[in-house]
């Protein structure tokens, strides 16, 4: 009985030593963080740096952040590597609330200079999403983009307020670029432009 008790104590002691050694080795590992983001977010970086010191809970902490898109962890004997990618905001809803590339709302702890999208959530679907992305990519200095199910798109830039409707978006954007380029050459003021007509357009210069 005494022999069995000694063997039992020895087993517990060996297990404890192995656990301590593993913990010690983990503490000595080099930790590397690869942060992937398309826009600068200093607050995000600082937030992750602070939480990195709480390594035991780092993965849970990061995955609970609304602005984190993906989290990957790889381990070797010498190093732990975290690869973190952040969501890419393409439109602002209001301060610190954005739409990502899939048009899902998320919070990011930094104010970014992005165009504001005004649209009813029920209208965020299929063709409307494609048009919003297309307009954002093709209009320089876009400040805001408004969508109405009745009248279509209204574009606001630093130089123009433009109504383009819901159809023939590509052709109307080409016409918009042509008109604004011509007006810039004559140092025009802010313009109001309605391109929703089948023939011609309405132009007002403020």
């Amino acid at each position: 009985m005494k022999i069995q008790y000694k063997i039992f104590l020895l087993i517990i002691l060996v297990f404890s030593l192995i656990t301590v050694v593993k913990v010690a080795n983990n503490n000595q590992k080099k930790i590397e963080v690869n942060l992937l983001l398309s826009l600068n977010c200093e607050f995000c970086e600082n937030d992750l740096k602070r939480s990195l010191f709480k390594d035991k809970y780092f993965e849970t902490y990061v995955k609970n952040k609304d602005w984190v898109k993906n989290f990957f962890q790889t381990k070797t004997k010498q190093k732990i590597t975290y690869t973190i990618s952040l969501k890419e905001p393409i439109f602002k809803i209001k301060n610190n609330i954005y739409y990502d590339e899939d048009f899902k709302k998320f919070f990011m702890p930094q104010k970014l200079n992005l165009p504001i999208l005004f649209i009813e959530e029920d209208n965020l679907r299929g063709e409307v999403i494609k048009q919003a992305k297309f307009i954002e990519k093709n209009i320089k200095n876009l400040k805001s983009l408004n969508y109405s199910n009745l009248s279509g798109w209204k574009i606001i830039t630093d130089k123009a307020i433009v109504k383009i409707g819901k159809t023939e978006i590509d052709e109307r954007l080409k016409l918009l670029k042509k008109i604004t380029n011509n007006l810039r050459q004559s140092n025009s003021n802010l313009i109001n432009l309605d391109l929703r007509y089948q023939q011609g357009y309405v132009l007002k210069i403020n």
Side-chain angles (χ1 to χ4, degrees):
M1 189 70 178
K2 289 183 179 180
I3 294 174
Q4 290 177 341
Y5 182 71
K6 288 180 179 179
I7 292 173
F8 178 73
L9 287 176
L10 182 61
I11 290 172
I12 292 176
L13 181 60
V14 171
F15 180 80
S16 299
L17 287 173
I18 292 171
T19 304
V20 171
V21 169
K22 284 184 177 179
V23 171
N25 285 341
N26 277 340
N27 288 338
Q28 292 171 3
K29 280 185 178 181
K30 179 182 177 183
I31 296 177
E32 180 179 279
V33 178
N34 298 320
L35 186 60
L36 309 176
L37 66 167
S38 59
L39 294 171
N40 183 38
C41 181
E42 292 182 11
F43 191 98
C44 302
E45 293 181 43
N46 293 333
D47 186 81
L48 293 176
K49 284 176 184 177
R50 285 193 299 269
S51 63
L52 183 60
F53 291 105
K54 305 172 184 178
D55 183 49
K56 182 179 179 182
Y57 306 104
F58 186 63
E59 180 176 355
T60 303
Y61 183 85
V62 172
K63 286 183 176 180
N64 284 329
K65 289 297 179 183
D66 198 28
W67 35 272
V68 170
K69 183 177 181 181
N70 291 308
F71 176 93
F72 300 102
Q73 175 182 285
T74 55
K75 290 183 178 181
T76 65
K77 291 181 179 180
Q78 295 78 28
K79 186 170 67 173
I80 300 174
T81 302
Y82 300 116
T83 302
I84 303 165
S85 61
L86 304 191
K87 291 179 182 177
E88 182 177 353
I90 58 174
F91 284 106
K92 185 192 296 183
I93 301 172
K94 55 184 178 180
N95 285 340
N96 301 110
I97 306 295
Y98 303 92
Y99 283 119
D100 66 11
E101 58 267 36
D102 297 319
F103 279 78
K104 293 179 180 178
K105 289 181 181 180
F106 74 99
F107 170 84
M108 180 171 269
Q110 188 155 317
K111 294 179 182 179
L112 301 172
N113 187 23
L114 291 174
I116 301 172
L117 179 62
F118 296 98
I119 187 171
E120 295 291 333
E121 287 192 36
D122 291 343
N123 292 325
L124 272 176
R125 59 184 184 274
E127 187 63 25
V128 174
I129 288 176
K130 289 180 183 178
Q131 289 178 351
K133 289 181 176 180
F134 184 78
I135 294 169
E136 190 271 333
K137 287 181 180 178
N138 285 275
I139 297 296
K140 292 181 179 179
N141 302 315
L142 180 63
K143 295 177 69 175
S144 71
L145 186 59
N146 301 23
Y147 180 82
S148 163
N149 202 32
L150 180 64
S151 57
W153 294 105
K154 181 168 74 172
I155 297 168
I156 299 177
T157 72
D158 58 337
K159 294 292 185 182
I161 299 172
V162 188
K163 295 176 182 177
I164 63 170
K166 299 191 290 184
T167 60
E168 302 176 350
I169 300 298
D170 188 10
E171 293 302 315
R172 290 176 181 179
L173 290 186
K174 288 178 182 176
L175 178 58
L176 170 60
K177 288 180 181 179
K178 183 178 179 180
I179 294 169
T180 52
N181 286 338
N182 290 337
L183 290 173
R184 280 195 188 102
Q185 293 175 4
S186 59
N187 296 317
S188 175
N189 296 323
L190 181 70
I191 64 170
N192 276 274
L193 186 61
D194 194 337
L195 301 176
R196 295 174 296 173
Y197 297 89
Q198 289 296 322
Q199 296 181 342
Y201 55 85
V202 175
L203 171 64
K204 294 179 181 179
I205 300 177
N206 296 333

